[in-house]
Amino acid sequence: QVQLTESGGGLVQAGGSLRLSCAAFGSIRSINYMAWYRQGPGKPRELVAKITSDGRVNYLDSVKDRFTISRDNAKNSMDLQMRSLKPDDTAVYYCNVEVETIPWSNERHYWGQGTLVTVSS
């Protein structure tokens, strides 16, 4: 069983910054990737940023020049630094991981509980 702990959401004015953090706990052998998704009001959940174990990253086009994802493999954690926030970034942000557990399990994907980011205009 793997648990994800998220932190860092909140209310910020447009143009401001926030940093989200996610840490994974449990019987983890390795983490293949860590990712942030978000779901805005009335919108489907979408991938915001993803980082693999070897550091490859990809971003949603609309955040590419404003958000930075980083990862600490030793701590099984990742951060999402968000800058120049816009009202359209308002959403619940979810941490998502793909892991290999000890002992092996075919349950490999886990989600955090979500953290709300609200950007006021």
Side-chain angles (χ1 to χ4, degrees):
Q1 189 73 9
V2 174
Q3 297 82 37
L4 302 179
T5 301
E6 301 159 338
S7 61
L11 173 64
V12 65
Q13 288 189 329
S17 299
L18 280 175
R19 188 177 189 90
L20 305 183
S21 297
C22 174
F25 301 93
S27 300
I28 299 170
R29 179 188 303 275
S30 62
I31 301 179
N32 297 328
Y33 70 76
M34 304 185 80
W36 287 100
Y37 283 75
R38 71 184 181 187
Q39 186 164 17
K43 299 179 182 179
R45 191 173 294 192
E46 61 184 355
L47 175 65
V48 177
K50 179 179 178 179
I51 184 166
T52 63
S53 58
D54 59 357
R56 287 174 290 141
V57 300
N58 62 282
Y59 295 96
L60 180 68
D61 282 347
S62 62
V63 310
K64 197 169 291 187
D65 297 324
R66 301 183 294 121
F67 292 8
T68 302
I69 190 171
S70 60
R71 173 174 173 170
D72 186 331
N73 288 333
K75 297 181 179 179
N76 289 337
S77 67
M78 73 169 167
D79 289 340
L80 183 69
Q81 178 67 51
M82 305 185 293
R83 300 179 179 87
S84 302
L85 283 160
K86 305 174 181 180
D88 280 350
D89 295 318
T90 295
V92 177
Y93 284 71
Y94 297 91
C95 175
N96 170 250
V97 299
E98 180 184 90
V99 303
E100 305 290 342
T101 57
I102 303 170
W104 182 87
S105 167
N106 60 7
E107 183 175 5
R108 301 174 63 199
H109 298 94
Y110 292 87
W111 292 88
Q113 78 282 0
T115 184
L116 178 62
V117 171
T118 303
V119 184
S120 63
S121 57

